[in-house]
Amino acid sequence: MTPSPLVPHGLHHVTAVTANAQANLDFYTGVLGLRLVKKTVNQDDVTAYHLFFADGAGSPGSDLTFFEWPVPREVPGNNSVTRTGLRVPAGSLDWWAAHLRERGLEVQPVTRAGRPHLDFSDPEGQRLSLVEGGPGGVVWEGSPVPAGHQILGLGPVELTLPGLFPTERVLTRAYGLQAAGTYPDPEVPERTVHVYSMAPSDQPSGGPHAELHLRVDPSLPPARPGAGGVHHLALRVPDDQYHAWSAHLTGLGLRTSGEVDRHWFHSIYYREPQGILIELATDGPGFAVDEDPAHLGETLVLAPFLEPRRASIEAGLTPLRAQTAGR
């Protein structure tokens, strides 16, 4: 397997699982200050909400999304995404520590790859971590979080695996990521975490918006999926490289989903050998393709092929109260 001539240019989104869409909406807009930029349904299971939270514009690389399924809590373990990073402006971690503690959340300052992080979990146990730096996001004027501290986008995504190979081989050979060093796991210092960067070939580091961190611990049992866990992660690819990526992965003999039109972006899915579902997603067309940018997320939006089923789909969903607005 020769190295990929194509390289993703950062994280696109992370999709997780919640068992309570209303409580999820209240937390991610009311506590974390993200904007609900798309309220829709899982295109493969229309009984489930699919909520997209992001920066003020719904920028690619800022999306943390959730499927609502009435399932028990995840049992953490191997072969899973175990922590999602969220980037904040420089100098914001102290503000966030106080803000989260005021809302009854436990926070833990740690260091990963030489960067200060603030670890915490949402009310369902979804493991998150705030880190400073990376590209700026678009401020949401309706956020309860002050503009100077709002979440900019996704940061490093952490995977926990029983071994480095063959995931490392897939990331470097199929997806073009580069090994970018190691560091001791702050939770278990004897455990090593390996950093892989989506840096372009002419840059030494992709930064926190473009990294995957692989924790290796063969002693852990496999995770049991559920609420508070991550369903899949997605990497950003330019719109004009989408078909080239499809041909590249197929040419390697990988069994992918093929090209999938998600209406707001185009995707290709592949489950790597240790069980992590990796999606490639284009930047466009974007969330404003079917909503006024000033009113993203205010109504239930369906992909065009689902629109004829709107009445039955809406009948199967519990209405959600509006997202938090104002401070």
Side-chain angles (χ1 to χ4, degrees):
M1 193 185 290
T2 57
S4 171
L6 304 166
V7 181
H9 58 285
L11 295 156
H12 188 282
H13 66 266
V14 170
T15 294
V17 178
T18 179
N20 187 327
Q22 184 64 63
N24 181 262
L25 172 61
D26 293 343
F27 180 82
Y28 283 90
T29 60
V31 177
L32 295 193
L34 292 167
R35 184 183 184 189
L36 178 66
V37 295
K38 195 62 62 179
K39 178 168 62 173
T40 186
V41 295
N42 182 315
Q43 293 180 10
D44 303 309
D45 174 10
V46 298
T47 66
Y49 273 116
H50 190 182
L51 305 181
F52 290 74
F53 302 100
D55 69 2
S59 305
S62 69
D63 306 340
L64 183 55
T65 92
F66 289 85
F67 298 141
E68 185 196 35
W69 283 318
V71 294
R73 292 279 184 93
E74 180 203 44
V75 178
N78 250 327
N79 311 94
S80 67
V81 175
T82 45
R83 193 172 297 274
T84 299
L86 300 171
R87 295 180 294 102
V88 296
S92 292
L93 289 185
D94 287 345
W95 184 91
W96 275 101
H99 174 72
L100 295 173
R101 286 177 177 134
E102 286 172 1
R103 281 146 185 82
L105 299 175
E106 293 186 13
V107 298
Q108 180 65 44
V110 301
T111 299
R112 291 190 174 87
R115 305 184 191 108
H117 283 65
L118 195 67
D119 288 359
F120 66 103
S121 297
D122 80 0
E124 290 185 294
Q126 185 72 230
R127 294 170 298 281
L128 304 167
S129 186
L130 298 175
V131 60
E132 297 176 356
V138 177
V139 169
W140 176 38
E141 296 299 335
S143 177
V145 173
H149 298 302
Q150 287 183 24
I151 292 169
L152 305 174
L154 294 172
V157 171
E158 177 188 275
L159 286 59
T160 298
L161 302 163
L164 192 60
F165 185 89
T167 303
E168 184 270 346
R169 184 173 175 82
V170 167
L171 294 179
T172 58
R173 299 294 183 174
Y175 290 98
L177 276 66
Q178 303 173 14
T182 63
Y183 63 92
D185 188 334
E187 296 180 22
V188 183
E190 297 79 16
R191 180 193 292 148
T192 298
V193 182
H194 302 257
V195 179
Y196 291 86
S197 171
M198 288 166 262
S201 59
D202 60 346
Q203 296 181 19
S205 175
H209 68 292
E211 289 178 357
L212 299 181
H213 292 195
L214 275 57
R215 303 164 75 222
V216 177
D217 188 345
S219 69
L220 294 176
R224 188 181 306 160
V230 170
H231 185 270
H232 67 271
L233 65 93
L235 312 180
R236 290 177 66 184
V237 298
D239 295 6
D240 61 3
Q241 292 183 4
Y242 178 62
H243 299 303
W245 270 105
S246 181
H248 166 66
L249 296 179
T250 299
L252 293 174
L254 302 183
R255 297 181 62 182
T256 75
S257 63
E259 298 184 1
V260 180
D261 182 355
R262 292 301 189 195
H263 184 50
W264 305 288
F265 44 84
H266 295 83
S267 301
I268 304 167
Y269 299 85
Y270 170 66
R271 191 174 297 278
E272 59 83 34
Q274 296 194 91
I276 307 299
L277 183 59
I278 300 173
E279 175 184 356
L280 296 179
T282 60
D283 285 351
F287 295 120
V289 70
D290 54 9
E291 287 187 289
D292 181 339
H295 297 283
L296 295 176
E298 294 180 7
T299 60
L300 181 72
V301 175
L302 301 176
F305 79 94
L306 292 176
E307 195 60 46
R309 300 167 58 189
R310 174 174 287 274
S312 63
I313 289 172
E314 288 185 334
L317 299 172
T318 301
L320 299 176
R321 297 188 305 273
Q323 61 182 325
T324 299
R327 294 198 175 99

